[in-house]
Amino acid sequence: MKQTKYTIFIIENNVSDRQFLKKILVEMEYDFAIKDFATGKEAMSEMNIRPPDLVLLNLYLPDQDGFFLLESFHQKGLVDLPVLLVSSFDKEDDKKKGFDRGAIDFINKPIVLEDVKARVACQLRFKRMMDDQKWANQKTNEGIKMLYKELENQNKKLLQLDHLKDDFVGSVSHELRTPLAIMRESISQIRDELFGEVPDQQKRYLDKALINMDRLRNIIDNLLDISKIEKGKLEIYKEKVDLNKLVEEIVSDFAVKAKAKGLILEGAVHGTAVYALVDPEKTIQVFNNLIGNALKFTEKGSIEITVQEEEDFIQCKVKDTGKGIAQKDLHKLFDKFQQVGRKHGPGEKGTGLGLAIAKGIIELHGGNIHVESTEGEGTAFFFSFQKYIEESGSCMSFRSALISAIKQFNQLSVIKVDIRNLKDVDAFKGRITKSLFRKSDRVIIEEQHVFILLPDTEKEMCSVVLSRIKGSHDADSLGECIVSFPIDGLTCDELINGLERTIEGENHEKNISGRR
């Protein structure tokens, strides 16, 4: 049975030897295409058209010696072409010179039939093995390319679905915020007896409604935050912040809840200020998430918050004596929707987004976060923030915050308060912050004014916010003015001009009243 067809070149100037070699090859059980040449020039001319699978080459040709031809094969890129040297090998080192130039075997003259058959058959078996391997590699590569292409297509589809999911979550969450804010404010007004007396039993139910609405608002805010972080759209407004003072305020906010669980909550801060260049609201969100987690998973002992100023950064730590986290779960702690250590049944539930959001916020500040934990002993979160350097630090301007809010929200209101006559501006700002319920609300002090940005808030609702802020203060002592987007202006400049016109109008009225 004939085997695969191969092309063999016989390059031999001796006619009888050339014919003998050709006869031997014909008798072998291979389907050969045999071409014979008397000179090297003729062979090279044919080789330019189609290279052979095997060459039988006489070293001593009349026009070109075999060594020259071997070098010519290599120059044409035929480095894998098998060449058998057929010669009497007059010089002792001719075989070595031939092997050095790429020959793989030799046939001595006078030619012996069985010697030729054995050596040719050996080279052709090796050739077949190499061809089969090449074919297999080619098919494997083609299969890998097809699989890679399929994986690439599937990844694209998954990314598209992921983007659709994020867009859907972001859109739905955003659309829920406005009606939820209106409902909460309305219930809050009823609870505060702005429309008449409310019995104590009804107040308890209204309080429950407000608590659950706040939980729903937090879920919506978390979904929006993680969506913005993943899209790179969460905006950070850095300013000079005393982290020691910030931690003291946060510890105070959590004190009642910690005491109810019998836990010691302490902020191990030093008396001196430690200034960081951070977004205050986002930084509070990080501490709230980490301390809230510590309270959730600590049944006894303590929770400690520390702020340590290093040479190039500020190191913060939230450490608890809770149940701890298994080593096998640490790697997925900051993944979305992960609730490591959460037991089924009653108890406080979350979305599993808090730590992912905290990590995203810290990294947007140029810091990093890591965790150390031992099961049964507790957990410690270490995270860093950029130090405030006087030469490069800069406070967030009201204008930049307003521009961002206009891009982000469909409607918002701005309250401008004159603080020139206030003795304790920081205390007043703290009172404003405590009067606001939403994370999206912002308080900015700029020169002699405080600006309060209230996203998703109608202009008429600002009077309720102001009544909570003023408390026992005289209603006329703050000199406040209010504008609303998009009613009073569609751009940042239009809204700022609206605030200025309101102040000028009030001053004009006061001057007229004074003359009267």
Side-chain angles (χ1 to χ4, degrees):
M1 181 179 178
K2 295 287 185 180
Q3 302 293 324
T4 305
K5 187 168 186 175
Y6 291 105
T7 300
I8 298 181
F9 280 12
I10 300 174
I11 309 174
E12 171 63 68
N13 63 305
N14 186 292
V15 177
S16 60
D17 285 344
R18 188 166 68 245
Q19 292 299 324
F20 186 42
L21 287 171
K22 190 173 182 179
K23 180 176 181 296
I24 294 172
L25 295 177
V26 170
E27 291 176 358
M28 294 180 68
E29 292 185 354
Y30 289 89
D31 187 10
F32 289 132
I34 303 169
K35 297 184 178 182
D36 58 291
F37 308 94
T39 65
K41 186 176 181 180
E42 292 174 359
M44 289 302 298
S45 177
E46 182 67 22
M47 197 168 289
N48 289 330
I49 301 173
R50 181 172 181 253
D53 297 297
L54 179 66
V55 175
L56 303 181
L57 172 66
N58 183 6
L59 274 179
Y60 312 120
L61 297 171
D63 60 335
Q64 298 170 335
D65 67 22
F67 302 122
F68 177 81
L69 286 176
L70 285 171
E71 291 174 354
S72 299
F73 297 160
H74 277 254
Q75 290 173 4
K76 288 182 175 294
L78 302 174
V79 292
D80 295 325
L81 176 62
V83 179
L84 293 177
L85 299 179
V86 183
S87 178
S88 56
F89 300 103
D90 298 337
K91 297 180 181 178
E92 292 183 1
D93 63 341
D94 280 352
K95 290 181 181 179
K96 181 179 182 304
K97 287 172 63 178
F99 289 138
D100 289 343
R101 287 162 176 74
I104 59 172
D105 204 350
F106 62 91
I107 298 172
N108 285 310
K109 288 186 178 182
I111 298 170
V112 179
L113 182 147
E114 295 303 327
D115 188 29
V116 173
K117 285 185 176 181
R119 294 179 186 274
V120 169
C122 178
Q123 294 305 321
L124 291 179
R125 282 196 297 271
F126 183 73
K127 170 71 174 173
R128 186 185 303 120
M129 288 172 56
M130 295 300 294
D131 288 346
D132 289 345
Q133 184 178 352
K134 185 177 180 181
W135 179 87
N137 289 340
Q138 183 180 352
K139 291 299 180 183
T140 301
N141 289 336
E142 289 174 359
I144 290 172
K145 287 179 181 178
M146 290 176 65
L147 287 173
Y148 181 79
K149 191 69 176 177
E150 182 64 24
L151 282 173
E152 194 174 35
N153 292 334
Q154 291 297 327
N155 283 336
K156 285 180 180 178
K157 290 179 181 178
L158 288 173
L159 284 173
Q160 289 173 353
L161 289 173
D162 197 46
H163 288 321
L164 286 173
K165 180 260 299 177
D166 290 340
D167 291 341
F168 174 76
V169 169
S171 177
V172 170
S173 300
H174 188 74
E175 293 300 322
L176 286 173
R177 292 179 76 173
T178 300
L180 183 63
I182 294 171
M183 286 189 291
R184 194 199 186 287
E185 196 60 46
S186 300
I187 293 174
S188 179
Q189 290 180 55
I190 296 171
R191 171 64 179 80
D192 293 342
E193 300 182 326
L194 295 181
F195 306 113
E197 190 175 346
V198 179
D200 289 340
Q201 186 178 6
Q202 292 184 18
K203 284 184 178 179
R204 286 195 293 273
Y205 282 106
L206 291 172
D207 286 339
K208 288 182 180 179
L210 289 172
I211 290 171
N212 282 284
M213 291 182 83
D214 286 341
R215 289 179 63 185
L216 179 58
R217 183 199 65 211
N218 286 335
I219 290 173
I220 292 171
D221 288 344
N222 282 341
L223 288 170
L224 282 172
D225 283 345
I226 199 67
S227 178
K228 290 175 186 174
I229 288 171
E230 289 182 333
K231 293 179 180 178
K233 293 183 178 180
L234 187 68
E235 296 181 342
I236 299 294
Y237 299 98
K238 296 181 181 180
E239 58 181 280
K240 180 182 178 182
V241 176
D242 181 359
L243 287 187
N244 274 346
K245 187 175 181 180
L246 190 74
V247 167
E248 287 177 355
E249 293 174 357
I250 295 170
V251 168
S252 176
D253 291 339
F254 279 97
V256 174
K257 194 170 184 179
K259 187 176 181 181
K261 290 193 70 174
L263 300 173
I264 299 172
L265 177 63
E266 56 183 349
V269 297
H270 304 291
T272 57
V274 177
Y275 291 110
L277 187 63
V278 294
D279 182 319
E281 300 302 322
K282 296 294 188 292
T283 305
I284 290 171
Q285 188 176 355
V286 169
F287 277 104
N288 284 348
N289 286 349
L290 295 175
I291 296 172
N293 253 23
L295 283 169
K296 191 186 301 183
F297 296 109
T298 304
E299 298 301 326
K300 62 180 181 179
S302 63
I303 299 170
E304 182 183 22
I305 301 97
T306 59
V307 176
Q308 181 67 43
E309 186 172 8
E310 304 292 344
E311 184 177 354
D312 300 319
F313 60 92
I314 297 173
Q315 181 76 50
C316 305
K317 179 174 71 173
V318 175
K319 182 180 180 182
D320 64 59
T321 57
K323 64 173 68 174
I325 304 166
Q327 292 298 311
K328 65 182 179 64
D329 293 329
L330 287 177
H331 73 281
K332 60 184 179 181
L333 197 61
F334 296 102
D335 293 345
K336 291 187 301 181
F337 305 112
Q338 291 291 334
Q339 293 183 308
V340 176
R342 175 76 174 95
K343 293 181 179 179
H344 296 290
E348 190 174 346
K349 298 178 176 67
T351 58
L353 293 172
L355 292 178
I357 291 171
K359 182 175 184 288
I361 291 173
I362 290 167
E363 289 177 349
L364 284 172
H365 279 83
N368 57 71
I369 181 171
H370 73 277
V371 61
E372 296 177 4
S373 186
T374 304
E375 280 191 280
E377 296 183 12
T379 302
F381 287 91
F382 300 85
F383 53 102
S384 60
F385 288 115
Q386 180 183 354
K387 285 179 69 173
Y388 176 86
I389 301 173
E390 197 67 41
E391 291 77 13
S392 63
S394 61
C395 292
M396 174 186 62
S397 69
F398 164 64
R399 175 179 288 274
S400 64
L402 183 57
I403 290 172
S404 174
I406 291 171
K407 292 178 181 178
Q408 191 173 355
F409 300 99
N410 294 325
Q411 76 172 45
L412 65 96
S413 293
V414 182
I415 303 174
K416 183 178 181 179
V417 179
D418 190 331
I419 57 173
R420 282 175 290 186
N421 297 323
L422 292 178
K423 294 181 180 179
D424 192 342
V425 175
D426 288 337
F428 179 68
K429 182 181 178 182
R431 207 148 56 86
I432 294 175
T433 303
K434 289 181 179 180
S435 300
L436 304 176
F437 301 116
R438 302 173 304 175
K439 288 192 290 185
S440 56
D441 298 337
R442 300 194 67 81
V443 181
I444 303 157
I445 296 179
E446 203 168 84
E447 296 180 348
Q448 298 175 336
H449 296 92
V450 171
F451 297 93
I452 305 169
L453 271 64
L454 303 171
D456 295 325
T457 303
E458 296 178 354
K459 193 172 185 179
E460 292 73 19
M461 300 298 294
C462 291
S463 58
V464 179
V465 177
L466 278 170
S467 66
R468 289 202 297 262
I469 293 172
K470 289 178 180 179
S472 60
H473 278 61
D474 181 6
D476 295 327
S477 63
L478 298 179
E480 71 277 354
C481 53
I482 303 169
V483 293
S484 181
F485 166 81
I487 296 172
D488 298 319
L490 295 173
T491 67
C492 175
D493 289 333
E494 289 176 356
L495 291 174
I496 291 175
N497 290 336
L499 289 171
E500 296 300 329
R501 285 196 300 271
T502 304
I503 293 174
E504 290 173 3
E506 288 177 354
N507 291 337
H508 182 66
E509 286 294 323
K510 287 179 181 179
N511 291 335
I512 292 175
S513 298
R515 286 198 295 270
R516 287 174 182 169

